[in-house]
Amino acid sequence: MDAAERLIESTRELLWERGYTGTSPKAIQQRAGAGQGSMYHHFTGKPDLALAAIVRTAEEMRAKAEAHFSGPGTVVDRITGYLHRERDVLKGCPIGRLTQDPDVMADPALRAPVDETLAWLRARLAELMSEGRESGELDARLDPRATAATVVATLQGGYVLARAAHSVEPFDQAITGVLGLLAAFLPTAHE
């Protein structure tokens, strides 16, 4: 891995662990095993490096989600697979956590990939739910956009609850609850 890659990966880790303010250029350089000259050779400064790290994290998050969304099975199976996928719940969502970072939210360039990723996730879930309605897998009364927003809000809120309790149990309960709500729109639930 070259210096630029080590710097990006180190910044990704530090942003997830410490947030933007707590991630100093010196900490990035130390973790990456790169000097100041190397950092400023590849990036104009901390904001530029943070943007590269956030974009990489967003791309990775989308790829992991899409692997479930475009995989085999019913729409509900694919959404369930995504919600139950392996994740480091107590560390929180690497993108969702950035919404709590005032420096990231105050910088339009840093905020953009965060907003775009969460918007993509809502839109992709809504698309799947629309597909489920069209195929008859989900009841026509289901509102795909509102339900997708509920799923994403529950997922992100589940991380918050788990971190506060220092236990994955609240996260698991939230996922079970939102899947129960989605199950209420299966045609067999109304027969």
Side-chain angles (χ1 to χ4, degrees):
M1 191 181 305
D2 70 6
E5 283 298 309
R6 289 193 320 269
L7 287 161
I8 291 170
E9 288 304 311
S10 296
T11 304
R12 288 178 64 195
E13 293 167 9
L14 288 165
L15 285 172
W16 198 7
E17 293 167 16
R18 303 178 183 180
Y20 185 81
T21 302
T23 301
S24 69
K26 184 175 183 174
I28 295 167
Q29 293 161 21
Q30 287 176 339
R31 184 160 300 186
Q36 184 175 351
S38 180
M39 181 174 156
Y40 290 102
H41 171 74
H42 295 289
F43 303 95
T44 59
K46 179 180 163 181
D48 185 39
L49 180 52
L51 180 60
I54 293 168
V55 167
R56 172 87 51 88
T57 298
E59 289 169 350
E60 183 179 282
M61 184 176 148
R62 287 182 191 184
K64 285 180 180 178
E66 189 56 43
H68 289 279
F69 296 156
S70 61
T74 67
V75 165
V76 174
D77 288 342
R78 289 179 273 160
I79 293 170
T80 300
Y82 166 71
L83 292 173
H84 283 303
R85 77 171 173 78
E86 188 175 324
R87 52 184 95 220
D88 194 345
V89 172
L90 295 181
K91 278 182 80 176
C93 174
I95 291 295
R97 281 190 65 180
L98 292 172
T99 65
Q100 299 302 311
D101 193 313
D103 292 320
V104 171
M105 292 297 99
D107 183 326
L110 295 177
R111 185 180 65 247
V114 173
D115 179 42
E116 289 164 6
T117 300
L118 294 172
W120 173 86
L121 184 56
R122 289 190 314 273
R124 190 66 179 95
L125 283 164
E127 183 180 300
L128 284 170
M129 291 176 200
S130 292
E131 177 186 322
R133 277 180 37 174
E134 290 167 17
S135 71
E137 179 186 342
L138 293 169
D139 190 280
R141 293 176 300 143
L142 177 133
D143 179 334
R145 289 183 58 205
T147 307
T150 301
V151 170
V152 174
T154 301
L155 179 64
Q156 292 301 316
Y159 281 120
V160 171
L161 295 173
R163 286 177 53 82
H166 198 67
S167 168
V168 299
E169 187 177 348
F171 180 89
D172 292 341
Q173 288 173 333
I175 297 308
T176 298
V178 81
L179 288 171
L181 294 173
L182 191 57
F185 286 98
L186 294 172
T188 56
H190 301 293
E191 293 175 359

